[in-house]
Amino acid sequence: MYKHFFKRFLDIVFAFFGLLILSPLFSIITIGLFFSNNGNPFFFQNRPGKQGKLFKIIKFKTMNDKSDVSGNFLSDSERLTKIGKYIRENSLDEIPQLINVLKGDMSLVGPRPLLAEYLPLYNDVQKRRHDVKPGITGWAQVNGRNAISWEQKFEYDVWYIDNISCALDLKIIFLTIEKIKVGIYSKNSSTVNPFNGN
């Protein structure tokens, strides 16, 4: 019952009041990034949701669009702005995803929506992460986030799917608040290392 009805109900309630409470912060960040990113405070990208169906995720734009002489983007670490780094370190770039939750693309809790280019790389077990809606936070996020291996992340994702409950979701939400700065970056990069398959 929770998985098929109450989870969506709680998503709507928490996302609505979350946006309401965070609206002053949302506005301040939007204005700051508007000037920092030449009028582009938001980042939009296609991500796979439930059953792998693509949707457009909304995040605050923490990297600029600087490129080299050949027109190729500079590395993520070079494009990460000062204000963007602060926003990312405090996970404030995820706030606009509350809009995705209200739209029904995402849930508050679930496996994180990864890049669409990873879809062909999953094995049969890893594909199960798309059996539910992706989340703003999830079991893998509170158990190491980007500091753990891809294999560990997928194990946590599948475990969550097999154990979804209201109590578990509330636990993950509280742990997310407690561990908000833990594991933001991988060990060797200012952003997450790409998944290259098994």
Side-chain angles (χ1 to χ4, degrees):
M1 179 67 76
Y2 171 73
K3 181 178 177 180
H4 299 288
F5 176 74
F6 287 110
K7 185 173 173 65
R8 176 60 184 152
F9 174 76
L10 290 179
D11 279 343
I12 293 172
V13 171
F14 278 110
F16 176 79
F17 284 103
L19 279 173
L20 199 63
I21 294 169
L22 294 172
S23 58
L25 181 61
F26 190 103
S27 300
I28 292 170
I29 294 174
T30 299
I31 293 170
L33 291 176
F34 179 88
F35 290 105
S36 176
N37 294 325
N38 298 316
N40 296 309
F42 299 106
F43 171 77
F44 300 90
Q45 188 179 56
N46 284 330
R47 296 284 179 96
K50 188 174 182 180
Q51 306 305 324
K53 182 180 178 182
L54 297 181
F55 71 96
K56 201 168 289 293
I57 197 171
I58 311 169
K59 300 180 75 172
F60 280 125
K61 187 178 175 69
T62 56
M63 293 188 289
N64 58 42
D65 297 323
K66 290 182 179 179
S67 57
D68 58 25
V69 292
S70 300
N72 300 311
F73 281 137
L74 298 178
S75 67
D76 289 350
S77 59
E78 292 176 290
R79 295 191 296 121
L80 187 62
T81 62
K82 288 182 179 180
I83 184 174
K85 183 178 181 181
Y86 177 83
I87 289 170
R88 183 172 291 194
E89 285 179 344
N90 291 278
S91 296
L92 300 176
D93 56 320
E94 313 288 359
I95 293 176
Q97 288 168 53
L98 290 171
I99 298 172
N100 286 122
V101 174
L102 286 177
K103 290 174 61 181
D105 299 324
M106 296 177 64
S107 177
L108 288 175
V109 180
R112 283 293 298 161
L114 303 176
L115 298 177
E117 63 197 60
Y118 294 166
L119 285 172
L121 303 178
Y122 300 135
N123 62 34
D124 290 340
V125 175
Q126 293 165 350
K127 286 178 182 177
R128 292 191 57 213
R129 68 190 317 279
H130 295 298
D131 288 351
V132 298
K133 289 180 181 179
I136 294 178
T137 187
W139 191 233
Q141 270 54 50
V142 298
N143 281 285
R145 203 169 177 175
N146 293 331
I148 60 176
S149 69
W150 282 107
E151 289 72 20
Q152 288 175 304
K153 287 183 190 179
F154 296 140
E155 287 177 9
Y156 285 131
D157 288 342
V158 173
W159 184 90
Y160 170 77
I161 290 168
D162 290 334
N163 294 275
I164 292 176
S165 69
C166 183
L168 179 59
D169 278 3
L170 290 175
K171 178 180 180 179
I172 291 171
I173 290 171
F174 285 119
L175 285 174
T176 298
I177 297 170
E178 179 183 327
K179 301 182 177 184
I180 200 160
K181 289 189 178 184
V182 177
I184 298 280
Y185 304 125
S186 59
K187 293 179 181 179
N188 303 311
S189 174
S190 60
T191 54
V192 63
N193 292 320
F195 175 59
N196 297 311
N198 298 291

